[in-house]
Amino acid sequence: MSSQNRTGSRRKTITTISSLAIAGALVLTGCSPEVEKGWLPTERGTTSNTDRIMDLWVNSWIAALVVGIITWGLIVWCLVAYRRRKGTVGFPRQTSFNLPLEVFYLTIPLFMVVVFFYFTDRDQQAIDNRSEPADVVVDVRGKQWAWDFNYQAGDVIEEDVYEAGVQTNLTGNTIDMEQLPTLYLPVNRSVDLELNARDVIHSFWVPAFLQKRDMIPGKTNYIRFTPTKEGTYDGKCAELCGEYHSEMLFRVKVVSESEFQAHMDELREAGNTGLLGNEYDRNPNVNEIK
């Protein structure tokens, strides 16, 4: 009887300490702004999609953390409750199956998968919804190793204009950020980015927007969002595309509509009217016939 009391007391102590440690860790980490946004490289309200993506990410990790705590708690409990006692001989009673437990182990993971799928599919459909025309349409062309931006005429843009980017040369010295290819977007206007590749597979990625999509030769992919916070955001190619992949950098400037129109006027005055289309594409896998 004394041994059982000591075992019960020890088990209660372990459970209490573990519970306090877990609760304390959750409280302390919950106070951190980095934790609240899931250590993502952005802030809430950057675009129309960042809050939705951030919530899906953080809530998924919370669910995974809860499942992990329960799983490890059960493992530790089993180690303590069913450990071999001193003086015990022989094997414990063997159980071939436990139907209620097996049904539980099947239904709970299945339920979790269905829940994860539902919220992921719901948010993905909302993010990729292009049922309504966008205010601004930009044909973004990735090329080894820079970017072309074709601003297409529409409700906001009066005339087709383009801006051709050049490769950034990384020499170990400070980069002149103003020389990077820069995509201008008006704040609070819906944007369609038509993503195309001129040569090999590239990937359009602006970390602060929490959206990344491949650019595949011969296929147009799309990103739809509304920038809601003015600022300058770094972007890069996120698909290994050749020797100078690391130099395929760009920036996105989200500006007021007046500043956006002023930039469009600058491009027109510089003679950059029209679009840089498929005529500048190439296939590096095909040898030129001489």
Side-chain angles (χ1 to χ4, degrees):
M1 182 67 69
S2 176
S3 176
Q4 291 179 352
N5 289 338
R6 287 197 301 271
T7 300
S9 177
R10 190 182 303 115
R11 185 186 308 163
K12 183 178 180 180
T13 301
I14 293 174
T15 303
T16 303
I17 294 175
S18 301
S19 301
L20 290 174
I22 292 171
L26 290 175
V27 170
L28 290 175
T29 55
C31 298
S32 169
E34 288 76 14
V35 173
E36 291 180 359
K37 64 180 184 179
W39 287 281
L40 293 173
T42 189
E43 302 293 337
R44 299 187 71 87
T46 302
T47 74
S48 57
N49 295 330
T50 51
D51 288 6
R52 182 183 293 272
I53 296 172
M54 192 178 298
D55 289 342
L56 179 64
W57 171 262
V58 173
N59 290 333
S60 297
W61 273 109
I62 291 174
L65 180 61
V66 170
V67 171
I69 290 173
I70 294 173
T71 302
W72 281 103
L74 290 174
I75 291 174
V76 172
W77 178 77
C78 288
L79 291 174
V80 174
Y82 299 107
R83 73 190 187 282
R84 189 178 183 86
R85 265 64 171 188
K86 184 178 180 180
T88 303
V89 295
F91 293 102
R93 184 171 66 88
Q94 303 298 301
T95 302
S96 59
F97 67 92
N98 186 315
L99 185 58
L101 192 60
E102 291 175 7
V103 171
F104 174 81
Y105 283 159
L106 175 64
T107 55
I108 294 302
L110 183 61
F111 173 76
M112 291 171 56
V113 170
V114 170
V115 171
F116 275 122
F117 176 82
Y118 168 77
F119 285 106
T120 302
D121 182 67
R122 181 201 65 180
D123 291 343
Q124 183 174 331
Q125 290 194 39
I127 291 170
D128 291 336
N129 182 15
R130 299 177 55 249
S131 57
E132 298 293 331
D135 297 328
V136 175
V137 179
V138 184
D139 174 18
V140 179
R141 301 263 170 168
K143 59 185 181 182
Q144 291 178 316
W145 286 272
W147 306 83
D148 294 338
F149 303 121
N150 291 312
Y151 300 90
Q152 301 180 20
D155 294 337
V156 177
I157 303 172
E158 297 179 0
E159 182 183 3
D160 290 339
V161 291
Y162 70 86
E163 191 160 11
V166 296
Q167 180 180 336
T168 304
N169 294 316
L170 300 179
T171 61
N173 298 321
T174 302
I175 303 174
D176 184 1
M177 304 299 288
E178 295 301 322
Q179 298 302 315
L180 294 180
T182 302
L183 171 64
Y184 279 76
L185 298 176
V187 69
N188 295 324
R189 288 283 195 168
S190 60
V191 175
D192 247 354
L193 299 183
E194 299 180 349
L195 306 178
N196 296 283
R198 295 201 181 280
D199 34 50
V200 299
I201 296 178
H202 301 284
S203 186
F204 181 91
W205 184 33
V206 181
F209 293 171
L210 301 183
Q211 290 183 261
K212 174 169 67 71
R213 191 144 295 177
D214 283 350
M215 311 169 79
I216 303 172
K219 174 180 173 60
T220 301
N221 285 330
Y222 299 88
I223 290 181
R224 163 71 67 90
F225 64 95
T226 300
T228 53
K229 184 180 294 185
E230 293 187 26
T232 301
Y233 305 95
D234 295 328
K236 61 181 71 176
C237 174
E239 186 77 31
L240 183 60
C241 56
E243 183 178 4
Y244 298 103
H245 161 71
S246 61
E247 299 184 351
M248 196 168 169
L249 307 175
F250 69 98
R251 295 197 301 172
V252 177
K253 282 192 175 183
V254 179
V255 297
S256 64
E257 189 157 344
S258 59
E259 291 179 82
F260 178 76
Q261 293 296 349
H263 184 68
M264 297 298 102
D265 292 340
E266 290 176 1
L267 294 178
R268 279 193 292 271
E269 292 171 2
N272 293 3
T273 56
L275 303 175
L276 299 178
N278 298 336
E279 65 274 15
Y280 293 97
D281 294 354
R282 65 183 182 86
N283 187 341
N285 297 314
V286 178
N287 294 325
E288 294 183 4
I289 300 177
K290 297 182 180 181

